Amino acid sequence: MSVLRIGHINIRVLDMDAAVGHYTNVLGMEKVHEDENGNVYLKGWDEWDKYSVILSQADKAGMDHIAYKVSSDAALDEFKTKIADYGLAVEEEAAGVLPFVGRTLRFSLPSGHVMRLYAEKELVGTAVGNTNPDPWPDGLKGAGVHWLDHALLMCELNPEAGINNVAASTQFMIDVLGFYLVEQVLVGPEGNIQAATWLSCTNTPHDIAFVGGPVSGLHHAAFFLDSWDDVLKAADVMAKRKVKIDVTPQRHGITRGYTIYFFDPSGNRNETFAGLGYLAQPDRPVITWTEDQLGRGIFYHTGELVESFTSVYT
Ligand SMILES: [Fe+2]
């Protein structure tokens, strides 16, 4: 049994029309469904399952839940036992509670973020199909993102109070869900406080990341692009459409990825992320960034942390 990959993220938005405009015209996703409650479902052109983003109207921005796809239906039963044995409450939901999705497990990470696991989601295929596919489809809009790549979740970190939900959620992902640690930031006088982690269940440098902050929240949801050129073009799209950019095209020290950070109309941070960085492997030695080099880890060129980058999230 294993976790295959990130499946979708459910983002809370304040203005649905503005949000749908952003995710379709800026990111270039396709609206594939709207349910009876007004939730909107979107898909990247290179994704084969039905959707990877759910937008839900709410009074407060942020993340409703994040979902990962597991290897089989039987794996859900095994994960249910493991999660319960770890001491976390886990609830099973019937097929169809999430549209086009089989039965799910719903639980909260130690950091409080709601996570779902599922084994089945309706297969619709990529926009170029499976037979003699072209490398990209005609008619892409905006940045033309391939797929939802990862999310970074903010976790409460208060060493004085003995709270480190970065470490707690990281340990859960490793011990229960079978992820492995790829990179970490260690801080504090002894250099032993795990303040940020990047974890993988595939061969990319991160399928989920956790960073410490005053309260739990969503730092960003990231969408994959092929290359640095695509990242530059995505920034052009954002400028044309007057999207609020948080950080212009840059390279990360951590993961080596190429990046832009920007905000959806509700203030949720998005990232367009390109480059594999490197091939992550479970036996590859964990990369550690020290507190004095954290700025270079996040923004490799300037080496300086942007104030809003660590203090503003939903
Ligand atoms: Fe990211």
Side-chain angles (χ1 to χ4, degrees), residues 150 206 220 222 252 261 271 273:
H150 64 267
H206 57 330
H220 67 264
H252 284 307
Y261 290 104
E271 177 183 26
F273 177 91

Side-chain angles (χ1 to χ4, degrees), residues 149-152 198 206 209 219-223 252 255 259 261 271 273 309:
D149 189 84
H150 64 267
L152 191 159
W198 287 258
H206 57 330
H219 188 272
H220 67 264
F223 299 87
H252 284 307
T255 76
T259 183
Y261 290 104
E271 177 183 26
F273 177 91
F309 185 75

Side-chain angles (χ1 to χ4, degrees), residues 28 41 62 99 109 118 121 150 158 164 173 179 197 204 222 248 260 302 311:
Y41 300 73
L109 295 175
Y118 66 90
K121 186 184 281 181
H150 64 267
N158 185 347
N164 186 350
M173 296 299 289
F179 283 56
T197 57
T204 71
T248 54
I260 308 170
T302 60
S311 61

Side-chain angles (χ1 to χ4, degrees), residues 134-216:
D134 293 315
W136 42 269
D138 291 333
L140 281 180
K141 287 204 283 186
V145 297
H146 288 239
W147 55 70
L148 173 67
D149 189 84
H150 64 267
L152 191 159
L153 308 182
M154 296 295 292
C155 305
E156 186 180 357
L157 176 62
N158 185 347
E160 291 77 28
I163 298 170
N164 186 350
N165 284 339
V166 172
S169 281
T170 296
Q171 208 56 49
F172 172 83
M173 296 299 289
I174 294 169
D175 291 348
V176 180
L177 300 188
F179 283 56
Y180 60 96
L181 184 61
V182 181
E183 303 203 29
Q184 64 181 344
V185 174
L186 296 180
V187 303
E190 313 291 323
N192 59 1
I193 298 170
Q194 201 173 37
T197 57
W198 287 258
L199 297 128
S200 182
C201 63
T202 62
N203 288 114
T204 71
H206 57 330
D207 294 300
I208 196 166
F210 301 112
V211 171
V215 294
S216 171

